[in-house]
Amino acid sequence: MSYFVSVEPTSERKNGYVIHKCVCSCGNICYKKTSDLSKSTMCPTCARKYRDKKVEKHGLYAKNRRLARLCHGAYKRCNDPSANGYENYGGRGIKFKFDSIEHMFNWSIENGYSDNLSIDRIDVNGNYEPSNCRWIPMEEQASNKTNTVRLNGICGIKNISEYLGITSKQLSNYLYKKKLTIEEVYELYKTDPNFHGTHSDKNSVSQRKRKDQLVISKEEAINIVNNIKNGSTSWKESKRLGKDHITIKRAIKRLEDGYYD
């Protein structure tokens, strides 16, 4: 491998850095800033030759590591039972119909691949083959997965959480921590007055609810409201139950807001 056999500083400067005269072992002379000396130890001509040899030696990974990894991943998901996700691909009868991994790699380069795109099968039950594959934005590809959360025609955690007016983290907690279905979450959205509250708000409500239930039960709160409708007052109910007036008023408010339910 080529390398610099001589590095001599010159009187020239660029962006505050000293320019060095570098003599490569191949005989070429080049000039580099001080900051570039640690990045390259050979002239540009030798560096190009080195990269070409590296591509020849390591194949697809040297050309584009991400694309090579994606192509290998598609092949393994369809053919290797020990591969992560095999049950959703090869296990469902999905096949890798490209002639080879290199064929898929070259096809991708010729058909719009870029590092911000993701491979997508147009028919989610179809094979990996040129007629059924395309490169699309990752957000769009995520919406096409068979396990994507859907609600009223809206796909994905992010989009649904925006529709419901909560954060993605809150929706994920409902689905994966509390083990609710998306339909159950939607029902809470329609019926729970504290659905849009913060975690602290909900804890506070939960604590007040437990405290009120210990002091005045739901049945007693209903009797209080009925008695007031029939001519009693909150002061009279306070005296009847031996509770302070604030506790009576709070119980009525909790009943009206549905916190006893």
Side-chain angles (χ1 to χ4, degrees):
M1 185 174 68
S2 300
Y3 57 92
F4 292 143
V5 295
S6 173
V7 178
E8 298 178 358
T10 68
S11 59
E12 296 183 28
R13 300 288 186 274
K14 185 175 182 180
N15 298 330
Y17 291 102
V18 175
I19 301 298
H20 293 76
K21 178 182 178 181
C22 305
V23 180
C24 185
S25 58
C26 70
N28 288 336
I29 297 175
C30 60
Y31 294 86
K32 290 184 174 291
K33 296 185 298 182
T34 303
S35 59
D36 293 335
L37 290 176
S38 60
K39 300 176 184 177
S40 176
T41 60
M42 63 185 75
C43 68
T45 301
C46 291
R48 281 193 295 272
K49 291 179 180 179
Y50 175 74
R51 284 196 296 268
D52 292 341
K53 288 182 180 180
K54 189 176 179 182
V55 168
E56 183 179 347
K57 179 180 178 180
H58 297 285
L60 304 182
Y61 277 89
K63 292 180 181 179
N64 187 308
R65 187 174 184 83
R66 177 178 183 268
L67 177 56
R69 178 174 53 80
L70 292 174
C71 293
H72 276 277
Y75 177 84
K76 291 189 68 175
R77 287 194 298 272
C78 294
N79 296 286
D80 184 356
S82 65
N84 184 30
Y86 174 81
E87 65 278 5
N88 295 321
Y89 293 86
R92 291 201 299 121
I94 295 172
K95 301 184 182 303
F96 186 87
K97 288 295 188 90
F98 286 92
D99 296 339
S100 64
I101 294 174
E102 185 175 3
H103 176 212
M104 182 180 181
F105 183 97
N106 293 332
W107 172 88
S108 299
I109 295 296
E110 296 169 359
N111 287 271
Y113 169 81
S114 69
D115 287 343
N116 64 332
L117 300 180
S118 179
I119 188 69
D120 176 65
R121 285 172 295 117
I122 299 170
D123 176 6
V124 295
N125 296 312
N127 300 316
Y128 278 104
E129 54 188 334
S131 61
N132 192 46
C133 288
R134 58 183 176 176
W135 290 97
I136 61 175
M138 296 180 186
E139 297 80 7
E140 182 180 345
Q141 194 270 344
S143 299
N144 295 335
K145 291 185 176 180
T146 55
N147 61 350
T148 297
V149 180
R150 291 177 169 80
L151 175 66
N152 296 343
I154 303 171
C155 299
I157 295 289
K158 181 180 178 181
N159 294 330
I160 294 176
S161 62
E162 291 177 354
Y163 171 74
L164 297 177
I166 57 178
T167 65
S168 297
K169 183 177 180 180
Q170 286 174 309
L171 180 56
S172 296
N173 283 339
Y174 278 122
L175 295 175
Y176 306 121
K177 187 175 181 180
K178 297 184 178 180
K179 305 297 183 182
L180 299 180
T181 65
I182 191 61
E183 289 77 16
E184 290 172 331
V185 175
Y186 186 54
E187 190 62 28
L188 285 176
Y189 164 76
K190 295 188 293 184
T191 60
D192 186 353
N194 200 48
F195 179 79
H196 294 95
T198 64
H199 182 68
S200 297
D201 293 337
K202 293 178 181 179
N203 281 345
S204 178
V205 168
S206 179
Q207 291 167 1
R208 292 198 304 268
K209 176 180 176 180
R210 289 195 296 269
K211 182 177 179 181
D212 285 347
Q213 287 177 333
L214 289 174
V215 177
I216 296 179
S217 66
K218 180 179 179 180
E219 291 72 21
E220 288 177 332
I222 292 174
N223 288 334
I224 291 171
V225 172
N226 289 335
N227 290 340
I228 291 176
K229 288 180 180 179
N230 293 327
S232 182
T233 65
S234 57
W235 288 103
K236 290 180 180 180
E237 293 302 305
S238 172
K239 186 175 181 179
R240 178 178 69 82
L241 295 172
K243 309 291 184 183
D244 63 90
H245 182 250
I246 294 178
T247 299
I248 298 297
K249 297 289 286 185
R250 184 185 293 120
I252 295 172
K253 184 67 167 60
R254 299 288 180 270
L255 185 65
E256 291 175 348
D257 292 344
Y259 291 142
Y260 276 108
D261 298 329

